[in-house]
């Protein structure tokens, strides 16, 4: 069996979208579906419930998720046993949405390393609901989670203590020279993502020819930088673009601010618990 089939499956289980998973795996949706079928045939059981929408895992699929993660973690650990970011060497596993890896997390890590210079992290990309399940099952040590008062969180988060480590907001950006009244494509996060739900809950009227949803904020930024319409993005992700004039912020009076909280799993490593306690004091 090709080990990449497990990566395909985990990508689908974390995004719960064949379209987004195909984008992340750099393939077509039809090709990804064929790969999943190949894995199902090899295992002799269905992993994806294709009878309804939204996409869902079968019980066999749910059971395979931790096993597949374990297999890949062991292989990755063996391949990179001498690398400082290996969990095997003491790196802390931290789950977060993709946008946080290029916005909130770098600044948080920089602050933390001033107090704990030898801390190392193994980031895991996961959506809001997947992070909740990973925390509950202690499949990660820490997690960065976005919170907005108008968008409910997964129920699992209610049983964990959290500490706010950053404040961010969504901003509406456009290419330089675009008229504020000019209808342009509007690029936003997928409505099934937490940031996408913040936009849906607090959206403002914007002249647009169409609204295009994306699974990754990096894609929205790329479209805006290419001059292909406006976009709704975390401010920390485009601060440098705004400062340099590559993008401009459109006037938006709606409060699109949100908090980013750090959660610690019940069976987190001692190093992760130290990081969580230190974050509470920073």
């Amino acid at each position: 069996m090709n080990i990449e089939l497990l990566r395909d499956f985990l990508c689908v289980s974390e995004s719960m979208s064949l379209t987004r998973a195909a984008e992340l795996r750099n393939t077509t949706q039809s090709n990804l579906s064929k790969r999943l079928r190949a894995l199902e045939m090899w295992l002799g059981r269905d992993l994806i419930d294709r009878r309804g929408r939204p996409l869902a895992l079968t019980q066999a699929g749910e059971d395979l998720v931790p096993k597949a993660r374990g297999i890949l973690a062991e292989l990755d650990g063996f391949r990179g046993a001498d690398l400082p970011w290996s969990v095997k060497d003491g790196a802390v596993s931290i789950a977060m949405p993709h946008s946080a890896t290029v916005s909130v997390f770098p600044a948080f890590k920089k602050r933390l390393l001033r107090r704990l210079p030898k801390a190392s992290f193994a980031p895991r990309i996961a959506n809001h609901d997947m992070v909740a399940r990973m925390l509950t099952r202690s499949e990660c040590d820490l997690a960065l989670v976005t919170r907005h008062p108008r968008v409910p969180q997964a129920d699992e988060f209610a049983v964990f203590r959290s500490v706010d480590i950053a404040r961010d907001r969504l901003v509406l950006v456009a290419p330089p020279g675009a008229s504020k009244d000019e209808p342009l494509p509007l690029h936003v996060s997928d409505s099934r993502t937490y940031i996408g739900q913040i936009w849906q809950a607090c959206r403002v009227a914007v002249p647009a020819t169409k609204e295009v949803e994306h699974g990754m904020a990096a894609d929205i930024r790329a479209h805006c930088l290419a001059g292909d319409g406006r976009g709704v993005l975390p401010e920390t992700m485009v601060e440098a673009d705004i400062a340099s004039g590559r993008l401009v912020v459109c006037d938006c009076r709606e409060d699109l601010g949100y908090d980013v909280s750090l959660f610690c799993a019940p069976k987190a490593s001692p190093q992760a618990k130290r990081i969580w306690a230190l974050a509470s004091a920073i």
Side-chain angles (χ1 to χ4, degrees), residues 153-213:
Q153 284 196 300
D155 293 339
E156 290 90 337
F157 288 119
V159 302
F160 298 109
R161 288 195 303 159
S162 66
V163 56
D164 292 343
I165 57 100
R167 177 78 178 169
D168 205 351
R169 66 171 183 147
L170 296 180
V171 291
L172 182 62
V173 295
S179 168
K180 67 177 183 178
D181 299 320
E182 181 183 0
L184 294 170
L186 179 63
H187 300 276
V188 301
S189 294
D190 192 296
S191 56
R192 289 165 292 188
T193 67
Y194 197 85
I195 286 180
Q197 291 172 38
I198 294 175
W199 171 248
Q200 295 299 326
C202 308
R203 60 183 304 127
V204 295
V206 180
T209 56
K210 59 181 177 179
E211 189 166 297
V212 186
E213 294 190 352

Short mmCIF file of all heavy atoms in Angstrom, two decimals, residues 153-213:
data_model
loop_
_atom_site.label_atom_id
_atom_site.label_comp_id
_atom_site.label_asym_id
_atom_site.label_seq_id
_atom_site.Cartn_x
_atom_site.Cartn_y
_atom_site.Cartn_z
N GLN A 153 -18.40 27.82 19.70
CA GLN A 153 -17.28 26.90 19.65
C GLN A 153 -17.78 25.47 19.78
O GLN A 153 -18.90 25.22 20.23
CB GLN A 153 -16.29 27.19 20.78
CG GLN A 153 -15.42 28.42 20.55
CD GLN A 153 -14.24 28.43 21.49
OE1 GLN A 153 -14.40 28.44 22.70
NE2 GLN A 153 -13.04 28.42 20.94
N ALA A 154 -16.94 24.53 19.38
CA ALA A 154 -17.27 23.12 19.58
C ALA A 154 -17.46 22.85 21.08
O ALA A 154 -16.76 23.42 21.92
CB ALA A 154 -16.15 22.24 19.02
N ASP A 155 -18.42 22.00 21.40
CA ASP A 155 -18.76 21.73 22.80
C ASP A 155 -17.57 21.21 23.60
O ASP A 155 -17.47 21.45 24.80
CB ASP A 155 -19.90 20.70 22.87
CG ASP A 155 -21.21 21.26 22.34
OD1 ASP A 155 -21.35 22.50 22.29
OD2 ASP A 155 -22.08 20.46 21.96
N GLU A 156 -16.67 20.49 22.92
CA GLU A 156 -15.54 19.89 23.63
C GLU A 156 -14.67 20.93 24.34
O GLU A 156 -14.05 20.65 25.36
CB GLU A 156 -14.67 19.08 22.66
CG GLU A 156 -15.32 17.81 22.14
CD GLU A 156 -16.10 18.03 20.87
OE1 GLU A 156 -16.51 19.18 20.61
OE2 GLU A 156 -16.31 17.05 20.14
N PHE A 157 -14.60 22.15 23.81
CA PHE A 157 -13.73 23.16 24.39
C PHE A 157 -14.21 23.60 25.78
O PHE A 157 -13.42 24.15 26.56
CB PHE A 157 -13.64 24.38 23.48
CG PHE A 157 -12.85 24.13 22.22
CD1 PHE A 157 -13.43 24.26 20.98
CD2 PHE A 157 -11.51 23.76 22.29
CE1 PHE A 157 -12.71 24.04 19.82
CE2 PHE A 157 -10.78 23.53 21.13
CZ PHE A 157 -11.38 23.66 19.89
N ALA A 158 -15.49 23.37 26.09
CA ALA A 158 -16.05 23.85 27.35
C ALA A 158 -15.39 23.20 28.57
O ALA A 158 -15.39 23.76 29.66
CB ALA A 158 -17.55 23.62 27.38
N VAL A 159 -14.80 22.02 28.38
CA VAL A 159 -14.24 21.30 29.53
C VAL A 159 -12.76 21.64 29.76
O VAL A 159 -12.17 21.17 30.73
CB VAL A 159 -14.39 19.77 29.36
CG1 VAL A 159 -15.84 19.39 29.19
CG2 VAL A 159 -13.58 19.27 28.16
N PHE A 160 -12.17 22.45 28.89
CA PHE A 160 -10.76 22.78 29.02
C PHE A 160 -10.57 24.23 29.45
O PHE A 160 -11.34 25.11 29.07
CB PHE A 160 -10.03 22.58 27.69
CG PHE A 160 -10.04 21.17 27.19
CD1 PHE A 160 -10.80 20.81 26.09
CD2 PHE A 160 -9.30 20.19 27.82
CE1 PHE A 160 -10.82 19.52 25.63
CE2 PHE A 160 -9.30 18.88 27.36
CZ PHE A 160 -10.08 18.54 26.27
N ARG A 161 -9.53 24.46 30.24
CA ARG A 161 -9.15 25.84 30.55
C ARG A 161 -8.32 26.39 29.39
O ARG A 161 -7.60 25.66 28.71
CB ARG A 161 -8.34 25.89 31.84
CG ARG A 161 -9.16 25.64 33.10
CD ARG A 161 -8.38 26.06 34.32
NE ARG A 161 -7.08 25.39 34.41
CZ ARG A 161 -6.06 25.83 35.12
NH1 ARG A 161 -6.15 26.98 35.77
NH2 ARG A 161 -4.94 25.14 35.19
N SER A 162 -8.43 27.69 29.18
CA SER A 162 -7.67 28.30 28.10
C SER A 162 -7.06 29.60 28.58
O SER A 162 -7.46 30.17 29.60
CB SER A 162 -8.57 28.56 26.89
OG SER A 162 -9.55 29.53 27.20
N VAL A 163 -6.08 30.08 27.83
CA VAL A 163 -5.48 31.38 28.10
C VAL A 163 -5.40 32.13 26.78
O VAL A 163 -4.99 31.57 25.75
CB VAL A 163 -4.08 31.24 28.74
CG1 VAL A 163 -3.15 30.39 27.89
CG2 VAL A 163 -3.46 32.60 28.96
N ASP A 164 -5.85 33.38 26.77
CA ASP A 164 -5.79 34.19 25.55
C ASP A 164 -4.34 34.62 25.31
O ASP A 164 -3.70 35.20 26.19
CB ASP A 164 -6.68 35.42 25.67
CG ASP A 164 -8.16 35.07 25.69
OD1 ASP A 164 -8.49 33.93 25.29
OD2 ASP A 164 -8.97 35.92 26.09
N ILE A 165 -3.84 34.35 24.11
CA ILE A 165 -2.44 34.68 23.82
C ILE A 165 -2.31 35.73 22.72
O ILE A 165 -1.21 36.24 22.48
CB ILE A 165 -1.63 33.42 23.47
CG1 ILE A 165 -2.23 32.67 22.28
CG2 ILE A 165 -1.54 32.49 24.67
CD1 ILE A 165 -1.57 32.92 20.98
N ALA A 166 -3.41 36.07 22.05
CA ALA A 166 -3.32 37.08 20.99
C ALA A 166 -4.71 37.61 20.67
O ALA A 166 -5.73 36.96 20.95
CB ALA A 166 -2.70 36.48 19.73
N ARG A 167 -4.71 38.79 20.10
CA ARG A 167 -5.94 39.42 19.61
C ARG A 167 -5.70 39.75 18.14
O ARG A 167 -4.67 40.34 17.79
CB ARG A 167 -6.24 40.69 20.39
CG ARG A 167 -7.46 41.48 19.91
CD ARG A 167 -8.74 40.86 20.36
NE ARG A 167 -9.89 41.65 19.94
CZ ARG A 167 -11.15 41.23 20.02
NH1 ARG A 167 -11.41 40.03 20.53
NH2 ARG A 167 -12.15 41.99 19.63
N ASP A 168 -6.60 39.35 17.29
CA ASP A 168 -6.47 39.62 15.86
C ASP A 168 -7.83 40.11 15.34
O ASP A 168 -8.81 40.14 16.10
CB ASP A 168 -6.02 38.37 15.12
CG ASP A 168 -5.29 38.66 13.81
OD1 ASP A 168 -5.27 39.83 13.38
OD2 ASP A 168 -4.74 37.71 13.22
N ARG A 169 -7.89 40.48 14.10
CA ARG A 169 -9.16 40.86 13.50
C ARG A 169 -9.10 40.59 12.01
O ARG A 169 -8.02 40.53 11.40
CB ARG A 169 -9.47 42.33 13.75
CG ARG A 169 -8.50 43.30 13.07
CD ARG A 169 -8.99 44.73 13.17
NE ARG A 169 -8.11 45.64 12.47
CZ ARG A 169 -8.51 46.74 11.85
NH1 ARG A 169 -9.79 47.06 11.84
NH2 ARG A 169 -7.64 47.53 11.24
N LEU A 170 -10.27 40.41 11.43
CA LEU A 170 -10.36 40.28 9.98
C LEU A 170 -10.38 41.68 9.38
O LEU A 170 -11.02 42.59 9.91
CB LEU A 170 -11.62 39.52 9.58
CG LEU A 170 -11.71 38.06 10.02
CD1 LEU A 170 -13.02 37.45 9.56
CD2 LEU A 170 -10.53 37.26 9.49
N VAL A 171 -9.66 41.85 8.29
CA VAL A 171 -9.67 43.12 7.57
C VAL A 171 -10.04 42.86 6.12
O VAL A 171 -9.74 41.80 5.56
CB VAL A 171 -8.31 43.84 7.64
CG1 VAL A 171 -8.03 44.33 9.06
CG2 VAL A 171 -7.17 42.95 7.15
N LEU A 172 -10.70 43.83 5.54
CA LEU A 172 -11.05 43.78 4.12
C LEU A 172 -9.96 44.52 3.36
O LEU A 172 -9.75 45.72 3.59
CB LEU A 172 -12.42 44.44 3.91
CG LEU A 172 -12.98 44.44 2.49
CD1 LEU A 172 -13.21 43.03 2.00
CD2 LEU A 172 -14.28 45.24 2.45
N VAL A 173 -9.25 43.81 2.51
CA VAL A 173 -8.14 44.42 1.78
C VAL A 173 -8.40 44.38 0.28
O VAL A 173 -9.19 43.56 -0.21
CB VAL A 173 -6.80 43.71 2.10
CG1 VAL A 173 -6.44 43.90 3.56
CG2 VAL A 173 -6.86 42.23 1.75
N ALA A 174 -7.72 45.29 -0.43
CA ALA A 174 -7.88 45.39 -1.87
C ALA A 174 -6.55 45.77 -2.49
O ALA A 174 -5.65 46.30 -1.81
CB ALA A 174 -8.94 46.43 -2.21
N PRO A 175 -6.38 45.52 -3.79
CA PRO A 175 -5.16 45.96 -4.48
C PRO A 175 -5.11 47.48 -4.50
O PRO A 175 -6.15 48.15 -4.51
CB PRO A 175 -5.32 45.39 -5.90
CG PRO A 175 -6.39 44.36 -5.80
CD PRO A 175 -7.28 44.78 -4.69
N PRO A 176 -3.93 48.09 -4.51
CA PRO A 176 -3.83 49.55 -4.58
C PRO A 176 -4.53 50.08 -5.84
O PRO A 176 -4.46 49.48 -6.91
CB PRO A 176 -2.32 49.79 -4.65
CG PRO A 176 -1.69 48.55 -4.15
CD PRO A 176 -2.61 47.44 -4.49
N GLY A 177 -5.22 51.20 -5.69
CA GLY A 177 -5.86 51.81 -6.84
C GLY A 177 -7.28 51.34 -7.10
O GLY A 177 -7.98 51.91 -7.96
N ALA A 178 -7.73 50.30 -6.41
CA ALA A 178 -9.11 49.82 -6.62
C ALA A 178 -10.09 50.80 -6.00
O ALA A 178 -9.94 51.20 -4.85
CB ALA A 178 -9.28 48.43 -6.01
N SER A 179 -11.10 51.20 -6.76
CA SER A 179 -12.12 52.11 -6.24
C SER A 179 -12.99 51.37 -5.23
O SER A 179 -13.31 50.19 -5.41
CB SER A 179 -12.99 52.64 -7.39
OG SER A 179 -14.14 53.29 -6.88
N LYS A 180 -13.37 52.08 -4.15
CA LYS A 180 -14.18 51.43 -3.11
C LYS A 180 -15.55 51.04 -3.61
O LYS A 180 -16.22 50.18 -3.02
CB LYS A 180 -14.30 52.34 -1.89
CG LYS A 180 -15.10 53.62 -2.13
CD LYS A 180 -15.23 54.42 -0.85
CE LYS A 180 -16.09 55.67 -1.05
NZ LYS A 180 -16.26 56.43 0.21
N ASP A 181 -16.03 51.66 -4.71
CA ASP A 181 -17.35 51.33 -5.26
C ASP A 181 -17.27 50.39 -6.45
O ASP A 181 -18.30 50.05 -7.03
CB ASP A 181 -18.06 52.63 -5.68
CG ASP A 181 -18.29 53.57 -4.50
OD1 ASP A 181 -18.63 53.07 -3.42
OD2 ASP A 181 -18.11 54.79 -4.67
N GLU A 182 -16.06 49.98 -6.80
CA GLU A 182 -15.90 49.11 -7.98
C GLU A 182 -16.23 47.66 -7.63
O GLU A 182 -15.66 47.08 -6.71
CB GLU A 182 -14.45 49.20 -8.47
CG GLU A 182 -14.16 48.35 -9.70
CD GLU A 182 -12.70 48.41 -10.10
OE1 GLU A 182 -11.92 49.12 -9.41
OE2 GLU A 182 -12.33 47.73 -11.08
N PRO A 183 -17.20 47.05 -8.35
CA PRO A 183 -17.51 45.63 -8.09
C PRO A 183 -16.33 44.75 -8.50
O PRO A 183 -15.86 44.81 -9.63
CB PRO A 183 -18.73 45.36 -8.97
CG PRO A 183 -19.28 46.70 -9.30
CD PRO A 183 -18.10 47.64 -9.35
N LEU A 184 -15.86 43.97 -7.57
CA LEU A 184 -14.74 43.06 -7.80
C LEU A 184 -15.06 41.71 -7.16
O LEU A 184 -15.92 41.63 -6.27
CB LEU A 184 -13.45 43.61 -7.17
CG LEU A 184 -12.87 44.90 -7.75
CD1 LEU A 184 -11.75 45.41 -6.83
CD2 LEU A 184 -12.33 44.68 -9.14
N PRO A 185 -14.38 40.65 -7.57
CA PRO A 185 -14.55 39.39 -6.84
C PRO A 185 -14.14 39.57 -5.38
O PRO A 185 -13.19 40.30 -5.09
CB PRO A 185 -13.60 38.43 -7.57
CG PRO A 185 -13.40 39.02 -8.92
CD PRO A 185 -13.47 40.51 -8.73
N LEU A 186 -14.88 38.94 -4.49
CA LEU A 186 -14.56 39.01 -3.06
C LEU A 186 -14.13 37.63 -2.61
O LEU A 186 -14.90 36.67 -2.66
CB LEU A 186 -15.77 39.47 -2.25
CG LEU A 186 -15.57 39.56 -0.73
CD1 LEU A 186 -14.51 40.60 -0.39
CD2 LEU A 186 -16.88 39.88 -0.03
N HIS A 187 -12.89 37.52 -2.16
CA HIS A 187 -12.31 36.24 -1.74
C HIS A 187 -12.40 36.12 -0.22
O HIS A 187 -11.92 37.00 0.51
CB HIS A 187 -10.86 36.14 -2.21
CG HIS A 187 -10.72 36.23 -3.70
ND1 HIS A 187 -10.86 35.14 -4.53
CD2 HIS A 187 -10.46 37.31 -4.51
CE1 HIS A 187 -10.68 35.52 -5.78
NE2 HIS A 187 -10.45 36.83 -5.80
N VAL A 188 -13.05 35.06 0.25
CA VAL A 188 -13.27 34.87 1.69
C VAL A 188 -12.94 33.44 2.07
O VAL A 188 -12.81 32.55 1.23
CB VAL A 188 -14.74 35.19 2.06
CG1 VAL A 188 -15.11 36.61 1.70
CG2 VAL A 188 -15.70 34.21 1.39
N SER A 189 -12.82 33.22 3.37
CA SER A 189 -12.57 31.87 3.87
C SER A 189 -13.83 31.02 3.76
O SER A 189 -14.95 31.53 3.88
CB SER A 189 -12.12 31.91 5.34
OG SER A 189 -10.87 32.54 5.47
N ASP A 190 -13.64 29.73 3.53
CA ASP A 190 -14.75 28.79 3.41
C ASP A 190 -15.68 28.93 4.61
O ASP A 190 -15.23 29.03 5.75
CB ASP A 190 -14.20 27.37 3.34
CG ASP A 190 -15.24 26.35 2.93
OD1 ASP A 190 -16.21 26.16 3.70
OD2 ASP A 190 -15.10 25.74 1.86
N SER A 191 -16.97 28.95 4.37
CA SER A 191 -17.96 29.16 5.44
C SER A 191 -17.97 28.03 6.46
O SER A 191 -18.60 28.16 7.51
CB SER A 191 -19.35 29.34 4.84
OG SER A 191 -19.71 28.23 4.03
N ARG A 192 -17.28 26.93 6.17
CA ARG A 192 -17.20 25.84 7.15
C ARG A 192 -16.01 26.01 8.08
O ARG A 192 -15.87 25.27 9.04
CB ARG A 192 -17.13 24.49 6.42
CG ARG A 192 -18.44 24.09 5.77
CD ARG A 192 -18.27 22.97 4.79
NE ARG A 192 -17.50 23.40 3.63
CZ ARG A 192 -17.32 22.67 2.53
NH1 ARG A 192 -17.85 21.47 2.46
NH2 ARG A 192 -16.60 23.13 1.53
N THR A 193 -15.12 26.97 7.78
CA THR A 193 -14.02 27.26 8.69
C THR A 193 -14.50 28.26 9.73
O THR A 193 -15.46 28.98 9.53
CB THR A 193 -12.82 27.85 7.93
OG1 THR A 193 -13.17 29.14 7.40
CG2 THR A 193 -12.40 26.93 6.79
N TYR A 194 -13.77 28.33 10.84
CA TYR A 194 -14.21 29.24 11.91
C TYR A 194 -14.08 30.70 11.48
O TYR A 194 -14.98 31.51 11.72
CB TYR A 194 -13.39 29.00 13.18
CG TYR A 194 -14.03 29.60 14.41
CD1 TYR A 194 -15.01 28.90 15.12
CD2 TYR A 194 -13.68 30.86 14.85
CE1 TYR A 194 -15.61 29.45 16.23
CE2 TYR A 194 -14.27 31.42 15.97
CZ TYR A 194 -15.24 30.72 16.65
OH TYR A 194 -15.86 31.28 17.76
N ILE A 195 -12.99 31.05 10.81
CA ILE A 195 -12.83 32.42 10.33
C ILE A 195 -13.90 32.75 9.29
O ILE A 195 -14.43 33.87 9.26
CB ILE A 195 -11.41 32.63 9.76
CG1 ILE A 195 -10.40 32.72 10.91
CG2 ILE A 195 -11.32 33.87 8.89
CD1 ILE A 195 -8.98 32.93 10.47
N GLY A 196 -14.23 31.77 8.46
CA GLY A 196 -15.31 31.98 7.49
C GLY A 196 -16.64 32.24 8.19
O GLY A 196 -17.45 33.05 7.73
N GLN A 197 -16.86 31.57 9.31
CA GLN A 197 -18.10 31.77 10.06
C GLN A 197 -18.13 33.14 10.74
O GLN A 197 -19.19 33.74 10.89
CB GLN A 197 -18.26 30.66 11.09
CG GLN A 197 -18.55 29.30 10.47
CD GLN A 197 -18.52 28.18 11.49
OE1 GLN A 197 -18.96 28.33 12.62
NE2 GLN A 197 -17.96 27.04 11.09
N ILE A 198 -16.96 33.64 11.15
CA ILE A 198 -16.91 35.00 11.70
C ILE A 198 -17.35 36.00 10.64
O ILE A 198 -18.14 36.91 10.90
CB ILE A 198 -15.49 35.34 12.20
CG1 ILE A 198 -15.11 34.47 13.39
CG2 ILE A 198 -15.40 36.83 12.59
CD1 ILE A 198 -13.68 34.67 13.86
N TRP A 199 -16.84 35.83 9.42
CA TRP A 199 -17.23 36.73 8.33
C TRP A 199 -18.73 36.63 8.06
O TRP A 199 -19.41 37.63 7.88
CB TRP A 199 -16.43 36.43 7.08
CG TRP A 199 -16.92 37.16 5.86
CD1 TRP A 199 -17.53 36.63 4.77
CD2 TRP A 199 -16.86 38.58 5.63
NE1 TRP A 199 -17.85 37.62 3.87
CE2 TRP A 199 -17.45 38.83 4.38
CE3 TRP A 199 -16.38 39.66 6.37
CZ2 TRP A 199 -17.56 40.11 3.84
CZ3 TRP A 199 -16.49 40.93 5.85
CH2 TRP A 199 -17.07 41.15 4.60
N GLN A 200 -19.26 35.43 8.04
CA GLN A 200 -20.69 35.26 7.77
C GLN A 200 -21.54 35.91 8.86
O GLN A 200 -22.60 36.46 8.59
CB GLN A 200 -21.03 33.77 7.64
CG GLN A 200 -20.39 33.07 6.45
CD GLN A 200 -20.79 33.65 5.11
OE1 GLN A 200 -21.92 34.11 4.94
NE2 GLN A 200 -19.88 33.64 4.16
N ALA A 201 -21.06 35.86 10.10
CA ALA A 201 -21.83 36.41 11.22
C ALA A 201 -21.74 37.93 11.28
O ALA A 201 -22.65 38.58 11.80
CB ALA A 201 -21.34 35.81 12.53
N CYS A 202 -20.65 38.49 10.78
CA CYS A 202 -20.40 39.94 10.94
C CYS A 202 -20.19 40.64 9.61
O CYS A 202 -19.69 41.77 9.59
CB CYS A 202 -19.16 40.16 11.82
SG CYS A 202 -19.17 39.30 13.39
N ARG A 203 -20.58 40.02 8.53
CA ARG A 203 -20.24 40.53 7.20
C ARG A 203 -20.81 41.91 6.95
O ARG A 203 -21.82 42.31 7.54
CB ARG A 203 -20.72 39.57 6.12
CG ARG A 203 -22.22 39.33 6.10
CD ARG A 203 -22.62 38.31 5.04
NE ARG A 203 -22.17 38.72 3.74
CZ ARG A 203 -21.44 37.94 2.92
NH1 ARG A 203 -21.13 36.72 3.31
NH2 ARG A 203 -21.06 38.36 1.76
N VAL A 204 -20.16 42.64 6.07
CA VAL A 204 -20.60 43.97 5.66
C VAL A 204 -20.87 43.95 4.16
O VAL A 204 -20.35 43.09 3.44
CB VAL A 204 -19.54 45.03 6.00
CG1 VAL A 204 -19.35 45.15 7.50
CG2 VAL A 204 -18.21 44.72 5.31
N ALA A 205 -21.66 44.88 3.71
CA ALA A 205 -21.98 44.97 2.28
C ALA A 205 -20.75 45.47 1.52
O ALA A 205 -20.16 46.48 1.86
CB ALA A 205 -23.16 45.91 2.06
N VAL A 206 -20.36 44.71 0.50
CA VAL A 206 -19.19 45.05 -0.32
C VAL A 206 -19.57 44.89 -1.79
O VAL A 206 -20.16 43.87 -2.16
CB VAL A 206 -18.00 44.12 0.00
CG1 VAL A 206 -16.79 44.48 -0.85
CG2 VAL A 206 -17.66 44.17 1.47
N PRO A 207 -19.27 45.90 -2.63
CA PRO A 207 -19.54 45.74 -4.07
C PRO A 207 -18.74 44.57 -4.62
O PRO A 207 -17.51 44.56 -4.53
CB PRO A 207 -19.07 47.07 -4.67
CG PRO A 207 -18.98 48.02 -3.54
CD PRO A 207 -18.67 47.21 -2.33
N ALA A 208 -19.41 43.55 -5.11
CA ALA A 208 -18.70 42.36 -5.57
C ALA A 208 -19.41 41.74 -6.76
O ALA A 208 -20.64 41.72 -6.82
CB ALA A 208 -18.59 41.33 -4.44
N THR A 209 -18.62 41.24 -7.71
CA THR A 209 -19.19 40.51 -8.84
C THR A 209 -19.55 39.08 -8.43
O THR A 209 -20.50 38.50 -8.94
CB THR A 209 -18.19 40.47 -10.00
OG1 THR A 209 -16.96 39.88 -9.53
CG2 THR A 209 -17.89 41.87 -10.52
N LYS A 210 -18.79 38.53 -7.52
CA LYS A 210 -19.04 37.18 -7.00
C LYS A 210 -18.25 37.02 -5.72
O LYS A 210 -17.28 37.74 -5.46
CB LYS A 210 -18.64 36.11 -8.01
CG LYS A 210 -17.17 36.17 -8.40
CD LYS A 210 -16.82 35.10 -9.43
CE LYS A 210 -15.34 35.23 -9.85
NZ LYS A 210 -14.95 34.19 -10.83
N GLU A 211 -18.65 36.07 -4.89
CA GLU A 211 -17.93 35.75 -3.66
C GLU A 211 -17.32 34.37 -3.81
O GLU A 211 -18.02 33.40 -4.09
CB GLU A 211 -18.85 35.81 -2.45
CG GLU A 211 -18.13 35.72 -1.12
CD GLU A 211 -18.99 36.10 0.07
OE1 GLU A 211 -19.43 37.28 0.13
OE2 GLU A 211 -19.25 35.23 0.91
N VAL A 212 -16.01 34.30 -3.64
CA VAL A 212 -15.28 33.06 -3.86
C VAL A 212 -14.73 32.56 -2.53
O VAL A 212 -14.01 33.29 -1.83
CB VAL A 212 -14.11 33.27 -4.85
CG1 VAL A 212 -13.45 31.93 -5.18
CG2 VAL A 212 -14.59 33.96 -6.11
N GLU A 213 -15.07 31.33 -2.14
CA GLU A 213 -14.59 30.76 -0.89
C GLU A 213 -13.32 29.97 -1.10
O GLU A 213 -13.15 29.30 -2.13
CB GLU A 213 -15.66 29.87 -0.26
CG GLU A 213 -16.90 30.63 0.19
CD GLU A 213 -17.84 29.76 1.02
OE1 GLU A 213 -17.60 28.54 1.11
OE2 GLU A 213 -18.81 30.32 1.56
#
